[in-house]
Amino acid sequence: MTEKKKNIIVCLCDQLRASEVGCYGNEVIQTPNMDALAKQGTRFQHGISNDPLCMPARSIVVSGQYARTCSGQLNNTSILFDAKRGVAGGWMMPPYPEMGRPHLPDQTLPECLQSDGYHTAAIGKWHIHSWPNDVGFDEYVIPRTQHCHVGQHYTRNGGPEFVPPGFSVDFELDEIESFLDRQESEPFFLFYNISPPHTPLFDIPEEYRTMYDPADMPIRDNCFIDGVMADSENVFKTYLYDNKQYFYKLPHTKKDLPDGFDLRHLYTQYYGATSWVDSALGRLMKMLHDNGMEDDTIVLFTADHGDNLGSHHKWNKSLMYQESTSVPYILHVPGVTEGTVVETQMVSHVDIMPTLLDLVGIDTPPHVQGRSVAPVIRGDEDVLPNNHVFIESEIQAVGIRTPQYTLAKRFDRTTGETSRENMRLYDVQADPFEMTNLAASDPGHCAIAELEGMLDDWHEHTPWMDIDQHVETN
């Protein structure tokens, strides 16, 4: 009798940087469930988002390809489709009606698992231009309003939109509980997406909003320039209240910040939202235990990208700094992982698909651009050859990251040519807050030639998807 394959859950939260997780060295934040998962899993010290922005990052996770290849772009908007007004005056989340499959043209992770007998489901934030059922999900429950934690609109398998009571995180966990209760003989793949700690931060449970004291916040060194801590009333409002008002210029009711609100107070809200995410992970793991699935289910916990949160006086994401690109990467494989910390091996979102397929004994399709780090997880290898990852972003920049260095360059989207103008090189071991650009202070630095050569070669030979051609053929 053939042994049943392990179930797989990819738990992807939104905008959580690795530095705000207890097991990554933060002594203030309370993330007991993430820490517990790390104690029975494998925790990668260097987990990287290949494109630190919601839609491209999520597309990479599902496709095993870089954003330029699986979606033909590096940002959150489609080249071919204008954003559309959603219900109740909010902004509709992609995908849009009758869009078909404009992105992710090649066989995806859920499609590979479907072909091997897995039942596949997506629950929680989606934010990919193709519909879940078009790219390999048998069922789904996804939000349709752009980022809100209360009063969220959902669709179940493309049906009429509805607004469940209470907090979105609680509703999605209820849906997961129902999903797990229905699973029987076939293995399953669950793509579980948690919206926080992404903004807005005012509509999270009071318990988490008031969990931390501003005086305790460990503000990062690079939040200070010439001794001045990052500060912006308008930006604070976009974090605290409704970020879509900022990005899409929607009419809204003016809201004032609480008296004395500064970066330390913003940190408390971000920390609180992160602890809320941690509680959701804890409830998920309890469900697996209560259903007798704990020993049969691979669980990956990570985030789509980080948050600059005032570092370098920058906000949100999309930059090559560690605050944007470094994310938690904790993988528990029953019977295999045992609390190991991988200090050197780099891993990124493009590696998730081949790694998971390898762990359950399914061949990786040749179009996948990442590689499996399962040999490191199993303990067969300490470090794989070519230990680096590539990063690209909507600011038309490309970068390469190793355990020691980050090198970033701009490129021209029209010509595709990279430029050395404002090139940046940081030694993230000696300078973890990336405050000294070695490319400027030491242009002959020994790391530049090697890293730049690898980066330029990757940039030149990694193909862009032709969106126009793909849509015309569907």
Side-chain angles (χ1 to χ4, degrees):
M1 181 177 179
T2 304
E3 182 180 357
K4 177 187 173 183
K5 291 184 182 293
K6 290 283 192 291
N7 308 311
I8 299 172
I9 297 178
V10 172
C11 183
L12 188 72
C13 66
D14 195 337
Q15 205 151 311
L16 174 60
R17 60 193 192 187
S19 58
E20 266 55 61
V21 178
C23 59
Y24 279 85
N26 191 308
E27 297 180 352
V28 173
I29 200 159
Q30 298 178 38
T31 54
N33 296 295
M34 299 177 200
D35 303 344
L37 187 66
K39 286 181 181 178
Q40 59 180 341
T42 294
R43 179 176 70 81
F44 285 81
Q45 185 66 27
H46 302 299
I48 304 296
S49 175
N50 303 105
D51 187 331
L53 189 64
C54 295
M55 184 177 294
R58 292 163 185 278
S59 299
I60 293 167
V61 170
V62 171
S63 70
Q65 297 177 323
Y66 294 102
R68 64 177 64 190
T69 303
C70 68
S71 64
Q73 61 194 58
L74 308 180
N75 56 31
N76 272 345
T77 59
S78 171
I79 293 173
L80 293 180
F81 301 94
D82 294 330
K84 297 185 179 182
R85 254 317 188 32
V87 294
W91 277 82
M92 185 185 295
M93 296 275 282
Y96 305 125
E98 301 177 0
M99 178 173 284
R101 188 171 177 168
H103 295 172
L104 314 185
D106 298 309
Q107 190 180 31
T108 62
L109 172 60
E111 287 176 319
C112 286
L113 293 171
Q114 269 185 335
S115 297
D116 206 67
Y118 277 75
H119 183 74
T120 59
I123 296 176
K125 178 175 177 176
W126 180 241
H127 210 168
I128 293 174
H129 267 299
S130 301
W131 284 90
N133 57 294
D134 286 330
V135 295
F137 287 99
D138 296 310
E139 59 177 285
Y140 60 91
V141 180
I142 60 173
R144 302 293 291 134
T145 306
Q146 186 75 286
H147 293 302
C148 64
H149 307 317
V150 177
Q152 177 61 270
H153 293 76
Y154 287 88
T155 180
R156 188 190 311 278
N157 302 326
E161 293 185 13
F162 62 96
V163 181
F167 291 102
S168 58
V169 170
D170 296 333
F171 166 73
E172 290 160 6
L173 285 165
D174 290 343
E175 289 295 307
I176 289 173
E177 186 170 29
S178 174
F179 170 79
L180 294 178
D181 287 344
R182 288 184 277 112
Q183 303 315 302
E184 296 180 354
S185 59
E186 60 185 347
F188 66 81
F189 168 54
L190 172 62
F191 189 35
Y192 171 35
N193 290 271
I194 309 174
S195 187
H198 193 291
T199 56
L201 299 175
F202 83 101
D203 61 351
I204 67 176
E206 185 72 11
E207 170 189 356
Y208 297 104
R209 288 186 58 208
T210 59
M211 191 170 186
Y212 295 95
D213 185 339
D216 295 335
M217 293 296 95
I219 304 298
R220 293 172 71 80
D221 291 358
N222 55 17
C223 289
F224 298 86
I225 297 179
D226 297 329
V228 178
M229 187 168 67
D231 183 86
S232 172
E233 180 179 353
N234 287 335
V235 170
F236 288 162
K237 287 180 180 179
T238 69
Y239 271 87
L240 198 59
Y241 300 125
D242 196 345
N243 72 310
K244 62 181 174 288
Q245 296 166 357
Y246 173 75
F247 287 111
Y248 299 118
K249 308 294 190 296
L250 291 180
H252 62 280
T253 301
K254 180 178 175 60
K255 294 183 180 180
D256 295 323
L257 291 174
D259 291 341
F261 193 93
D262 64 10
L263 184 61
R264 295 185 186 280
H265 294 84
L266 181 61
Y267 262 55
T268 66
Q269 303 305 294
Y270 185 80
Y271 274 43
T274 300
S275 290
W276 190 25
V277 171
D278 184 80
S279 72
L281 176 63
R283 184 175 164 191
L284 170 68
M285 298 307 295
K286 185 177 186 303
M287 288 182 212
L288 292 177
H289 174 78
D290 292 347
N291 280 277
M293 298 173 172
E294 194 171 27
D295 294 333
D296 300 315
T297 304
I298 295 169
V299 178
L300 170 63
F301 177 82
T302 185
D304 53 358
H305 51 74
D307 192 325
N308 296 307
L309 210 64
S311 289
H312 307 282
H313 287 203
K314 305 295 183 182
W315 309 97
N316 288 296
K317 52 266 185 179
S318 297
L319 301 179
M320 296 287 171
Y321 293 122
Q322 288 200 84
E323 289 82 9
S324 272
T325 61
S326 292
V327 294
Y329 195 103
I330 306 169
L331 182 65
H332 173 50
V333 185
V336 176
T337 58
E338 50 185 18
T340 303
V341 178
V342 177
E343 298 281 0
T344 304
Q345 178 66 50
M346 306 295 300
V347 64
S348 63
H349 288 342
V350 77
D351 302 321
I352 289 175
M353 177 175 174
T355 299
L356 293 176
L357 292 177
D358 187 351
L359 287 170
V360 296
I362 300 174
D363 291 338
T364 299
H367 62 263
V368 169
Q369 295 166 322
R371 66 171 173 180
S372 171
V373 294
V376 177
I377 295 167
R378 295 187 181 110
D380 298 333
E381 301 282 350
D382 291 329
V383 181
L384 301 177
N386 303 314
N387 189 27
H388 54 262
V389 300
F390 295 104
I391 310 168
E392 52 190 346
S393 86
E394 66 171 342
I395 58 171
Q396 299 186 348
V398 288
I400 182 171
R401 173 71 195 275
T402 72
Q404 184 169 4
Y405 295 107
T406 296
L407 177 76
K409 300 176 69 175
R410 295 289 182 92
F411 74 93
D412 186 297
R413 184 66 178 88
T414 303
T415 66
E417 294 181 358
T418 59
S419 169
R420 280 189 145 210
E421 184 178 359
N422 297 319
M423 184 169 69
R424 291 183 289 147
L425 174 69
Y426 297 105
D427 183 335
V428 296
Q429 292 182 0
D431 178 25
F433 296 110
E434 298 169 305
M435 299 174 77
T436 301
N437 180 8
L438 298 174
S441 64
D442 184 10
H445 193 284
C446 60
I448 292 177
E450 179 183 10
L451 296 178
E452 187 180 18
M454 290 190 291
L455 178 59
D456 285 348
D457 182 69
W458 174 85
H459 178 62
E460 179 182 354
H461 293 101
T462 303
W464 290 79
M465 188 183 90
D466 188 330
I467 294 181
D468 293 305
Q469 182 182 38
H470 174 66
V471 171
E472 288 173 359
T473 60
N474 280 270

